[in-house]
């Protein structure tokens, strides 16, 4: 993103690319966001969060439409490469409970596309991003997503993903297996007896156990090892007699999402008024717009100012996209 451009101008262009299903420019946006996130300069990293927050506030419906329509929007030759950028970009934006809650409203339309990403095992990055999306969705959707996930064959996908990773302990492989363990733990904690029974009847937990045994023997020291072991332990607890220690009612979406994001990023939240962009702190929590529940403000003055400057038109208080 050019240094002279405003956040609002850049996000306006992103919205245009989404509306036009312009995958070439969306691919560039995805790469730019990656560079901003990885930047050692505070300005670029803070702008990364400002862009994501702004997209979540004004383009939630557009993102849903983009994902749902992506399989039909391009030729077969480019379908998978475009899907990679769509799912990758989509996963980057799943950073707030309010945004994911809106996304989950359209789970019936979204899940077939995300699960189609898991079928592309020759594209490991796409599969990995698909698992990221599914985990962040279930963090907020909780038990409402257990049955749809099982219906779409999540256990088969997790089993196949871990099996094909056996003996491979690279950074990206560890990340993929850690997300498999995360989703397994979520399904076990949030699912009913029938859901738990179907998981326990499968061979998926044994496959995870085998991977972890080999991982421990390798004595490899990489960042992703801790995540795999942590969530494997959680799966082990949930399948043992200590299940009562992790009850469904103890699953708090806001805390779980923060736990998820804190593994990779330091999270920042800003006042949604472009004239302010004040940084939220532990001692000063911002309030959401009462209608869209996506934009947030440090003061009533900023909310009124933003309403007059454009939020009145952009506020996503209405129904979602026409799919």
């Amino acid at each position: 993103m050019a240094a002279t451009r405003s956040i609002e101008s850049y996000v306006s262009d992103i919205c245009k690319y989404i509306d036009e299903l312009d995958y070439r420019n969306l691919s560039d946006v995805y790469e730019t966001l990656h560079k901003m996130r990885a930047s050692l300069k505070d300005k670029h990293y803070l702008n990364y969060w400002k862009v994501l927050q702004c997209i979540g506030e004004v383009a939630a419906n557009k993102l849903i439409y983009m994902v749902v329509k992506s399989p039909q929007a391009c030729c077969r030759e480019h379908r998978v490469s475009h899907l990679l950028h769509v799912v990758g970009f989509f996963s980057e934006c799943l950073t707030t409970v309010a945004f994911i809650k809106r996304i989950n409203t359209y789970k019936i339309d979204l899940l077939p596309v995300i699960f189609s990403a898991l079928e592309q095992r020759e594209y490991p990055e796409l599969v990995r991003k698909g698992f990221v999306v599914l985990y962040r969705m279930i963090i907020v959707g909780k038990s409402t997503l257990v049955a749809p996930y099982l219906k779409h064959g999540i256990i088969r996908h997790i089993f196949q993903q871990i099996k094909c990773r056996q003996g491979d302990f690279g950074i990206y492989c560890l990340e993929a297996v850690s997300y498999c363990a995360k989703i397994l733990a979520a399904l076990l904690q949030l699912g009913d007896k029938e859901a738990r029974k179907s998981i326990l009847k499968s061979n998926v937990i044994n496959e995870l156990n085998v991977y972890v045994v080999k991982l421990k023997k390798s004595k490899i020291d990489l960042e992703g090892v801790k995540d795999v072991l942590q969530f494997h332990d959680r799966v082990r607890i949930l399948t043992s007699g200590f299940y009562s220690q992790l009850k469904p009612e103890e699953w708090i979406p806001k805390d779980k999402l923060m736990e998820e994001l804190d593994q990779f990023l330091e999270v920042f939240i800003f006042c949604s008024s472009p004239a302010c962009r004040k940084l939220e702190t532990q001692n000063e929590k911002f309030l959401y717009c009462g209608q869209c529940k996506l934009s947030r403000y440090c003061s009533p003055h900023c909310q009124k100012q933003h309403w007059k400057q454009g939020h009145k038109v952009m506020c996503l208080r209405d129904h979602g996209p026409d799919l």
Side-chain angles (χ1 to χ4, degrees):
M1 184 175 65
T4 56
R5 297 188 63 186
S6 68
I7 297 296
E8 293 71 36
S9 172
Y10 186 54
V11 171
S12 177
D13 283 350
I14 293 173
C15 289
K16 179 183 176 182
Y17 302 150
I18 296 172
D19 286 338
E20 297 174 353
L21 295 177
D22 184 345
Y23 293 110
R24 178 172 296 179
N25 276 313
L26 284 173
S27 172
D28 292 340
V29 170
Y30 179 52
E31 295 300 325
T32 299
L33 287 174
H34 262 276
K35 292 177 182 177
M36 292 167 68
R37 187 177 70 176
S39 176
L40 297 177
K41 295 183 178 179
D42 290 345
K43 178 182 178 180
H44 295 163
Y45 188 69
L46 292 174
N47 280 342
Y48 166 81
W49 283 105
K50 289 176 183 177
V51 169
L52 288 189
Q53 182 174 319
C54 196
I55 290 172
E57 292 167 0
V58 305
N61 291 347
K62 295 176 184 291
L63 281 170
I64 295 167
Y65 181 87
M66 174 190 72
V67 175
V68 172
K69 297 300 180 183
S70 59
Q72 297 85 36
C74 55
C75 65
R76 181 176 298 180
E77 181 182 354
H78 298 101
R79 190 169 298 164
V80 175
S81 61
H82 289 163
L83 188 61
L84 169 61
H85 295 121
V86 167
V87 174
F89 180 51
F90 190 57
S91 69
E92 290 283 332
C93 297
L94 301 180
T95 57
T96 68
V97 170
F99 180 69
I100 298 173
K101 190 177 291 185
R102 178 176 284 262
I103 294 297
N104 283 348
T105 305
Y106 301 92
K107 58 182 178 288
I108 294 176
D109 301 292
L110 287 166
L111 288 181
V113 180
I114 305 304
F115 273 92
S116 73
L118 303 189
E119 297 285 357
Q120 312 301 323
R121 288 191 292 278
E122 65 274 27
Y123 295 88
E125 184 182 356
L126 174 56
V127 174
R128 203 165 61 248
K129 292 299 181 182
F131 278 120
V132 172
V133 170
L134 291 175
Y135 182 59
R136 294 186 183 180
M137 286 178 69
I138 201 170
I139 282 177
V140 178
K142 303 197 293 184
S143 59
T144 63
L145 283 172
V146 173
Y149 279 20
L150 292 175
K151 181 180 178 182
H152 282 281
I154 186 65
I155 302 305
R156 173 177 62 85
H157 286 295
I158 291 175
F159 174 82
Q160 291 175 342
Q161 184 64 200
I162 299 174
K163 187 176 180 64
C164 74
R165 303 285 184 178
Q166 289 291 357
D168 192 340
F169 308 123
I171 293 176
Y172 295 125
C173 292
L174 289 169
E175 182 183 343
V177 174
S178 73
Y179 273 101
C180 289
K182 289 176 184 181
I183 295 173
L184 263 182
L187 293 170
L188 287 164
Q189 184 170 348
L190 300 170
D192 57 17
K193 288 183 179 180
E194 288 302 312
R196 286 170 51 79
K197 187 184 296 184
S198 65
I199 295 170
L200 295 172
K201 282 175 61 179
S202 72
N203 202 35
V204 67
I205 294 176
N206 181 61
E207 197 68 28
L208 178 60
N209 291 338
V210 171
Y211 184 90
V212 169
V213 168
K214 292 179 180 178
L215 176 60
K216 289 179 177 178
K217 287 182 178 179
S218 74
K219 296 182 180 180
I220 197 165
D221 184 22
L222 288 175
E223 187 176 339
V225 173
K226 181 181 176 182
D227 292 337
V228 173
L229 298 181
Q230 176 187 346
F231 285 93
H232 172 256
D233 284 344
R234 196 169 294 181
V235 169
R236 187 171 50 80
I237 291 171
L238 287 162
T239 54
S240 69
F242 300 101
Y243 168 65
S244 60
Q245 294 180 6
L246 295 170
K247 297 178 180 178
E249 56 268 26
E250 294 173 357
W251 185 284
I252 302 173
K254 185 177 180 180
D255 293 344
K256 290 289 183 181
L257 185 60
M258 192 57 64
E259 175 190 58
E260 154 72 357
L261 296 174
D262 279 350
Q263 292 182 81
F264 309 103
L265 307 164
E266 184 178 3
V267 180
F268 293 100
I269 296 171
F270 301 87
C271 175
S272 296
S273 173
C276 179
R277 296 295 182 199
K278 183 178 180 180
L279 184 63
E280 184 183 70
T281 66
Q282 287 292 332
N283 298 325
E284 184 182 12
K285 296 296 183 181
F286 299 162
L287 298 177
Y288 282 102
C289 168
Q291 297 194 68
C292 68
K293 295 182 172 57
L294 291 170
S295 297
R296 64 197 89 189
Y297 302 96
C298 64
S299 67
H301 170 74
C302 279
Q303 184 173 10
K304 291 176 182 177
Q305 185 181 44
H306 192 207
W307 185 260
K308 294 176 181 178
Q309 290 178 342
H311 188 59
K312 180 178 181 179
V313 176
M314 299 299 294
C315 182
L316 299 176
R317 62 188 180 276
D318 55 354
H319 297 294
D322 183 9
L323 302 176

